[in-house]
Structures are given as structure tokens and as C-alpha cells.
């Protein structure tokens, strides 16, 4: 089931709706990061002020410009690390389109799915982003204690989180949030292993941007398999 779900998700990557979600998410992410750089640039200049009096030097009028420009490379460096988690969170807001594309191609004839409102999708995406960041920050201690096993711990932890999020997304469109949780508990091992398969590319630059789209597609297949079995 897991191999089939992942291979079908990969095979559908050229789907225009998959590309649309991916490009939209990356575009919004780049726009948000550029806006953040501009905001920090101006805020730093405002905080430092036009004139600063320094001991033994006197009044300096260029310090605000220097501080503002110094913030730019710092923000650009942070953007490299923030690009993937921020893009994943934003792409997660549009993953219902991916699930619908999978169903249109592989499960035709289904009744219309329950639409998730934009506000609910936004809250779910922010909650998922916060959980991923917090869990990995807390796990840093474990990574440092068990350095040789750090990659495996990373994959296991993030595989669990990815499986939990994307299976719930796929299932609640068809059976509601409550029943989705019941199915998730019933098939925890299958969902976890599929999530681990999705977590492995998280450590590969550029490829990790595909994880939300692949995850939503793969778990749509997983949901339909376990729901049909039920």
C-alpha cells in the first residue's frame, strides 16, 4: 500500500494542479521573505535613529544606514533556513487542491468532498508549522545526545508529524475530522511509515519543497485504501 501510494503520487507530479500549488506556495514564500527583509531594514534604521552620540567620537549620522544595511545579509542568511518551513506551511494551505486532483484522476465518480474553509486551512497550516518547529527544537537535545542516530530520530519524528497532518487532511474531506482521527489511530503504523518515507526528502535541499505536495497526494491514496477496507 505504501509503495503504491508514494509511486502514484510521484507519477502525478507533472499534473498542472500540482505545479500550480507548488509554484503558488514558493511565490508567496519569496514575497513574504522579501517583505520581511524590507520591514527589518526600515525598523532597524528607525530604532537606531538618524543621529547617535558615541563616547569619544561624538555625533554619528550614518550609523542608522550602516545598521540597516548590516541587517540585510543577516536576513538573507535566515531566509535560506526559513525558506523550506515557511514554504511548507504556505503550500499546506492549498493541499486540498492536490487531494482533489488525485481523486479526479484515480477515484472518479466520488461525491463532492466537504470543502475546508480558508480560515480553517490557514489555522491548520499555522498549527502544523508551529508544531513542526517546536518539536524539532525540543528534539535538538536528543539529536545531540544520540548524534549517530540523529537522522533516524529526525525521520521518525517528522514522519509521525507529516503522517498525522496529511492523513487527517485527506480523511476529513470525506469522513469529517472526528472519524479521521479514529482512522488515524486505527492505522497508526501504516500512516507513520508512509510519513517517514515522506520525511526522508526533507533533508535534501530543493527536493524538500515537494514534500507537502507529495505527502498530500500519497496520503489521499492511503486514506482511500484504508477507508475502502473499512
Amino acid at each position: 500500500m505504501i509503495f503504491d501510494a508514494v509511486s502514484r503520487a510521484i507519477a502525478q507530479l507533472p499534473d498542472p494542479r500540482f505545479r500550480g500549488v507548488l509554484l503558488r506556495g514558493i511565490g508567496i514564500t519569496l514575497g513574504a521573505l522579501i517583505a520581511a527583509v524590507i520591514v527589518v531594514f526600515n525598523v532597524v534604521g528607525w530604532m537606531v535613529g538618524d543621529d547617535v552620540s558615541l563616547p569619544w567620537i561624538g555625533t554619528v549620522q550614518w550609523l542608522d544606514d550602516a545598521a540597516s544595511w548590516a541587517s540585510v545579509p543577516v536576513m538573507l542568511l535566515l531566509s535560506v533556513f526559513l525558506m523550506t518551513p515557511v514554504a511548507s506551511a504556505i503550500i499546506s494551505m492549498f493541499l486540498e487542491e492536490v487531494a482533489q486532483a488525485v481523486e479526479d484522476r484515480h477515484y472518479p465518480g466520488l461525491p463532492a468532498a466537504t470543502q475546508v474553509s480558508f480560515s480553517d486551512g490557514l489555522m491548520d497550516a499555522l498549527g502544523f508549522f508551529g508544531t513542526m518547529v517546536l518539536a524539532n527544537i525540543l528534539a535538538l537535545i536528543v539529536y545531540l545526545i544520540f548524534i549517530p542516530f540523529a537522522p533516524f530520530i529526525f525521520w521518525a519524528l517528522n514522519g509521525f508529524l507529516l503522517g498525522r497532518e496529511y492523513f487527517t487532511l485527506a480523511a476529513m474531506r470525506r469522513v469529517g475530522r472526528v472519524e479521521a482521527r479514529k482512522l488515524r489511530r486505527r492505522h497508526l503504523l501504516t500512516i507513520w511509515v508512509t510519513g517517514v518515507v515522506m520525511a526522508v526528502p526533507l533533508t535534501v535541499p530543493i527536493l524538500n519543497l515537494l514534500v507537502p505536495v507529495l505527502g498530500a497526494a500519497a496520503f489521499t491514496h492511503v486514506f482511500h485504501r484504508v477507508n475502502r477496507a473499512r
Side-chain angles (χ1 to χ4, degrees), residues 35-158:
V37 171
I38 294 172
V39 169
V40 170
F41 179 90
N42 288 283
V43 168
V44 169
W46 173 76
M47 292 178 65
V48 173
D50 295 332
D51 299 321
V52 177
S53 295
L54 298 176
W56 303 295
I57 297 178
T59 301
V60 177
Q61 298 182 335
W62 47 263
L63 196 59
D64 58 335
D65 290 334
S68 295
W69 283 108
S71 69
V72 173
V74 174
M75 287 299 297
L76 291 177
L77 181 62
L78 286 175
S79 296
V80 173
F81 297 98
L82 292 174
M83 177 69 182
T84 297
V86 173
S88 296
I90 292 174
I91 291 171
S92 295
M93 295 167 54
F94 308 108
L95 291 184
E96 188 174 354
E97 298 179 34
V98 174
Q100 189 61 55
V102 170
E103 291 181 344
D104 290 344
R105 177 170 177 176
H106 295 280
Y107 310 96
L110 291 172
T114 302
Q115 296 294 316
V116 179
S117 66
F118 178 80
S119 59
D120 286 344
L122 177 60
M123 292 305 296
D124 285 344
L126 291 176
F128 177 52
F129 173 71
T131 302
M132 287 277 286
V133 172
L134 180 60
N136 281 279
I137 289 175
L138 295 176
L140 281 174
I141 300 173
V142 181
Y143 297 155
L144 293 174
I145 295 174
F146 303 101
I147 293 178
F149 302 99
F152 302 99
I153 298 170
F154 175 87
W155 292 332
L157 171 62
N158 287 278

Side-chain angles (χ1 to χ4, degrees), residues 124 164 167-169 171-172 175-188 191 223 230:
D124 285 344
R164 180 178 181 274
F167 181 84
T168 302
L169 170 76
M172 70 181 186
V175 296
R177 195 179 292 270
V178 174
E179 189 61 33
R181 289 171 179 167
K182 292 180 181 177
L183 276 173
R184 191 180 68 214
R185 287 194 293 266
R186 197 174 302 146
H187 300 279
L188 177 61
I191 293 168
F223 161 72
R230 182 189 63 163

Side-chain angles (χ1 to χ4, degrees), residues 180-208:
R181 289 171 179 167
K182 292 180 181 177
L183 276 173
R184 191 180 68 214
R185 287 194 293 266
R186 197 174 302 146
H187 300 279
L188 177 61
L189 183 59
T190 298
I191 293 168
W192 194 349
V193 173
T194 308
V196 170
V197 174
M198 292 292 100
V200 172
L202 284 176
T203 55
V204 183
I206 306 301
L207 187 60
N208 51 20

